[in-house]
Amino acid sequence: MKKVLLVLLIIIIAIQFIPSQKNIAAGDSPNSITKVYDVPPDVQQILKTSCNDCHSNNTQYPWYNRIQPVAMYLAYHVKDGKRELNFDEFAAYSPEKRLHKIEETREVIQKNEMPLQSYTIIHSDAILSDAQKQTLINWTNSIAPHHHE
């Protein structure tokens, strides 16, 4: 049993030296959603607080991101989120994909699927109030009014 614990301790120490890729862009994105659609300040603030850590080219990393395997998990999670929707690369999407992503955004907000509970446990400020949800839904409806239910 002591050998198993020693091996686990060595592994935990060793993985601390594995670097994780950070999601931090050098500047503003030329493909930002703001290049395609009007994003009012209140919507921008909601996106910044509740969405952008996983759905943009800039993540605000918590202190615990310096600890492995947490850093690897967060890097994977951010990469996955950006693959699904990246507000900083939105203008590079085809018009059809843009519309689809706006519709998906509306849908996940209506179903309370975003932000993820695993995120809001630590980031309680990212929890969307009913008013914030309605603001986002109204905004998505203003972009694609004939596509909402």
Side-chain angles (χ1 to χ4, degrees):
M1 184 66 167
K2 287 183 180 181
K3 287 182 181 182
V4 171
L5 290 176
L6 182 61
V7 168
L8 284 175
L9 180 62
I10 291 170
I11 290 171
I12 289 171
I13 292 170
I15 66 172
Q16 299 310 308
F17 297 99
I18 300 172
S20 289
Q21 186 175 5
K22 298 262 195 256
N23 183 45
I24 301 174
D28 291 337
S29 173
N31 291 319
S32 169
I33 191 169
T34 60
K35 306 293 185 200
V36 182
Y37 299 122
D38 177 45
V39 184
D42 57 342
V43 172
Q44 286 182 22
Q45 185 58 48
I46 295 168
L47 295 178
K48 179 180 177 185
T49 303
S50 299
C51 309
N52 283 355
D53 275 351
C54 297
H55 297 287
S56 78
N57 291 336
N58 283 293
T59 299
Q60 299 296 317
Y61 287 98
W63 65 267
Y64 52 84
N65 187 63
R66 297 184 198 118
I67 303 168
Q68 296 291 12
V70 174
M72 287 185 267
Y73 170 77
L74 291 177
Y76 169 79
H77 192 74
V78 169
K79 185 178 178 181
D80 191 46
K82 285 175 58 175
R83 186 177 62 244
E84 187 63 35
L85 171 64
N86 187 339
F87 290 116
D88 283 338
E89 300 301 329
F90 203 85
Y93 297 164
S94 71
E96 295 81 17
K97 184 174 181 178
R98 290 178 200 159
L99 193 59
H100 178 70
K101 291 300 176 186
I102 290 297
E103 291 169 344
E104 279 185 338
T105 299
R106 178 187 312 114
E107 187 176 302
V108 298
I109 292 164
Q110 289 172 327
K111 292 181 177 181
N112 295 314
E113 295 175 351
M114 286 287 161
L116 294 176
Q117 185 178 13
S118 60
Y119 182 76
T120 59
I121 288 171
I122 302 289
H123 305 275
S124 59
D125 61 327
I127 297 171
L128 296 172
S129 68
D130 289 340
Q132 289 173 315
K133 289 176 192 175
Q134 195 58 54
T135 296
L136 291 174
I137 291 167
N138 291 344
W139 173 66
T140 62
N141 288 343
S142 74
I143 293 169
H146 60 285
H147 290 275
H148 72 279
E149 297 177 41

